[in-house]
């Protein structure tokens, strides 16, 4: 009798254990199962990111000078979005955020200023994807018009607001993307760049769901023999709008570099002669709308 009771108890405990193992515990903004947190070795939780090679598979190419590496989207989407969530990218460029959204069963709205680029990027998606998964808008992301257009697309996609904001602006005038006056790479001064960035970020803030996250990818620059901390000033603007900073990640830029090899020695000479250091990093900053 005692023996059979013991056996029953053991069976019950085993069943409970199986139920527990199958249980899912997630945050409100991610599908990562915290009960199985040991299974997510590929997810980064530290602040130094090194990706020796740019991912080229999964629809990505490196034809657009100034695109970010897809591994950033992979890391950020898995940690800060759930399946079907809408990612809003206000500097869509060659569409890295959209391609990775499709690859990871998320949706995306991308805004890009250059008409020819917006049109060309559309060709990366199937007609069906362009209806259900990826919406590309050609507009100035700092404008009220862009905000209205995004709102209309969100409505069609069945959501009042987006669930993740991606911001990869020009790094001031380091790469000139167009001659348009609304282009952040075409500002007369760095102060004007900050002002325009803030306007775009404000639109992003208004269009993002409360409790959700924003990711800013940005690098600094040198001008007039000085380090200009574009990243920290843009972070300050994000904070001013109401975002709290969750992380400042330093990312090795090696995967981004193209044909720097030939001029490496020249840069080294300039650094030694001018008393500065050659940039090897950019920032991936994470914010939350609280
Ligand atoms: C650094 S690139 C983004 C690249 C993109 N993340 C990718 O992976 O391809 C910045 C982009 O912002 C666009 N841009 C600049 N000013 C803009 C504005 N006011 N509104 C919308 N897009 C803008 C530029 O044309 C450029 O394509």
């Amino acid at each position: 009798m005692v023996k059979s009771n013991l056996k029953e108890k053991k069976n019950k405990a085993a069943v409970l254990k199986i139920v527990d193992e199958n249980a899912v515990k997630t945050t409100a903004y991610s599908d990562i199962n915290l009960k199985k947190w040991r299974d997510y070795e590929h997810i980064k939780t530290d602040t130094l990111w090194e990706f020796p090679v740019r991912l080229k598979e999964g629809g990505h190419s490196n034809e657009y000078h100034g695109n970010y590496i897809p591994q950033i989207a992979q890391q950020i989407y898995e940690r800060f979005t759930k399946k079907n969530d809408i990612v809003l990218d206000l500097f869509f460029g060659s569409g890295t955020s959209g391609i990775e959204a499709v690859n990871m069963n998320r949706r995306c709205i991308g805004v890009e200023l250059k008409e020819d680029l917006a049109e060309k990027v559309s060709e990366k998606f199937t007609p069906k994807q362009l209806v259900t998964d990826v919406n590309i808008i050609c507009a100035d992301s700092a404008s009220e018009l862009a905000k209205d257009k995004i709102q209309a697309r969100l409505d069609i996609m069945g959501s009042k607001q987006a669930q993740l904001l991606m911001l990869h602006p020009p790094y001031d005038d380091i790469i000139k993307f167009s001659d348009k006056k609304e282009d952040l790479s075409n500002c007369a001064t760095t102060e004007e760049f900050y002002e325009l960035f803030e306007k775009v970020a404000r639109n992003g803030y208004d269009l993002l769901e409360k409790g959700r996250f924003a990711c800013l990818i940005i690098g600094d620059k040198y001008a007039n023999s000085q380090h200009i901390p574009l990243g920290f000033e843009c972070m300050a603007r994000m904070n001013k709008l109401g975002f709290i900073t969750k992380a400042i990640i330093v990312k090795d830029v090696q995967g981004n570099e193209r044909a720097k090899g030939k001029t490496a020695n020249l840069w080294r000479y300039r650094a030694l002669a001018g008393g500065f250091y050659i940039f090897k990093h950019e920032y991936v900053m994470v914010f939350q709308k609280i």
Side-chain angles (χ1 to χ4, degrees), residues 64 66-68 89-96 111-114 117 139-142 168-170 177 182-184:
Y64 192 55
N67 58 8
Y68 74 74
D89 184 334
L90 295 176
F91 301 100
F92 200 51
S94 61
T96 310
V111 186
E112 169 56 47
L113 186 66
K114 295 194 285 180
L117 183 59
D140 166 17
S141 289
H168 183 212
F177 289 99
E182 301 88 352
D183 187 333
L184 269 74

Side-chain angles (χ1 to χ4, degrees), residues 48-51 250-256 280-282:
L48 180 63
W49 288 10
E50 290 171 285
F51 299 105
V250 172
K251 184 196 149 282
D252 181 359
V253 291
Q254 273 185 100
N256 303 18
K280 279 270 287 183
H281 71 282
E282 60 191 349

Side-chain angles (χ1 to χ4, degrees), residues 3-271:
K3 230 179 180 183
S4 80
N5 264 350
L6 200 66
K7 205 174 166 193
E8 216 169 274
K9 264 189 186 166
K10 268 188 181 168
N11 280 345
K12 240 185 188 172
V15 170
L16 277 177
K17 201 164 172 229
I18 289 166
V19 169
D20 195 45
E21 269 172 10
N22 290 335
V24 175
K25 183 183 173 197
T26 64
T27 58
Y29 50 80
S30 163
D31 288 328
I32 289 177
N33 184 359
L34 296 170
K35 294 257 182 198
K36 297 195 171 178
W37 63 274
R38 284 192 177 82
D39 295 354
Y40 294 86
E41 267 179 36
H42 61 288
I43 289 291
K44 293 188 179 291
T45 46
D46 60 49
T47 57
L48 180 63
W49 288 10
E50 290 171 285
F51 299 105
V53 202
R54 172 189 287 273
L55 192 84
K56 291 195 188 73
E57 300 80 35
H60 296 286
S61 60
N62 189 15
E63 91 286 8
Y64 192 55
H65 191 30
N67 58 8
Y68 74 74
I69 71 167
Q71 289 96 321
I72 295 179
Q74 290 179 343
Q75 290 289 327
I76 296 290
Y77 289 5
E78 194 161 352
R79 281 207 64 186
F80 302 114
T81 60
K82 296 172 99 72
K83 197 174 165 219
N84 250 340
D85 273 355
I86 300 173
V87 178
L88 172 62
D89 184 334
L90 295 176
F91 301 100
F92 200 51
S94 61
T96 310
S97 296
I99 295 168
E100 216 37 54
V102 169
N103 290 345
M104 293 177 67
N105 295 315
R106 273 70 175 161
R107 296 175 292 162
C108 184
I109 298 177
V111 186
E112 169 56 47
L113 186 66
K114 295 194 285 180
E115 299 88 359
D116 53 338
L117 183 59
E119 211 160 289
K120 202 168 152 228
V121 173
S122 305
E123 290 165 14
K124 295 185 179 181
F125 303 97
T126 65
K128 185 174 177 286
Q129 282 168 344
L130 288 172
V131 173
T132 54
D133 303 326
V134 182
N135 261 292
I136 302 168
I137 297 169
C138 183
D140 166 17
S141 289
S143 66
E144 273 300 309
L145 182 66
K147 199 173 160 188
D148 291 346
K149 283 187 175 179
I150 297 164
Q151 197 69 72
R153 302 293 173 99
L154 282 167
D155 280 352
I156 293 168
M157 290 165 104
S159 187
K160 279 197 165 55
Q161 287 169 308
Q163 286 81 38
L164 175 73
L165 174 66
M166 292 296 280
L167 296 173
H168 183 212
Y171 302 175
D172 197 3
D173 55 358
I174 289 188
I175 300 174
K176 194 170 164 174
F177 289 99
S178 75
D179 291 327
K180 290 177 185 290
K181 66 172 188 340
E182 301 88 352
D183 187 333
L184 269 74
S185 69
N186 205 20
C187 295
T189 63
T190 300
E191 191 50 40
E192 193 189 310
F193 164 79
Y194 294 141
E195 292 301 315
L196 277 188
F197 172 78
E198 192 180 320
K199 278 192 182 166
V200 176
R202 176 171 295 121
N203 275 348
Y205 185 86
D206 293 345
L207 292 160
L208 184 70
E209 231 170 74
K210 203 171 162 199
R212 290 308 195 110
F213 289 76
C215 170
L216 169 64
I217 303 155
I218 191 157
D220 293 336
K221 71 167 199 172
Y222 286 110
N224 303 323
S225 308
Q226 280 190 63
H227 180 135
I228 312 292
L230 301 177
F232 290 144
E233 182 57 34
C234 288
M235 177 179 80
R237 304 283 172 136
M238 298 281 286
N239 296 151
K240 193 175 139 195
L241 293 168
F243 285 108
I244 59 161
T245 305
K246 296 290 286 188
I248 301 175
I249 296 154
V250 172
K251 184 196 149 282
D252 181 359
V253 291
Q254 273 185 100
N256 303 18
E257 304 279 270
R258 293 204 311 180
K260 254 240 173 115
K262 285 182 207 150
T263 54
N265 276 335
L266 182 61
W267 280 108
R268 203 167 140 67
Y269 174 80
R270 285 180 181 157

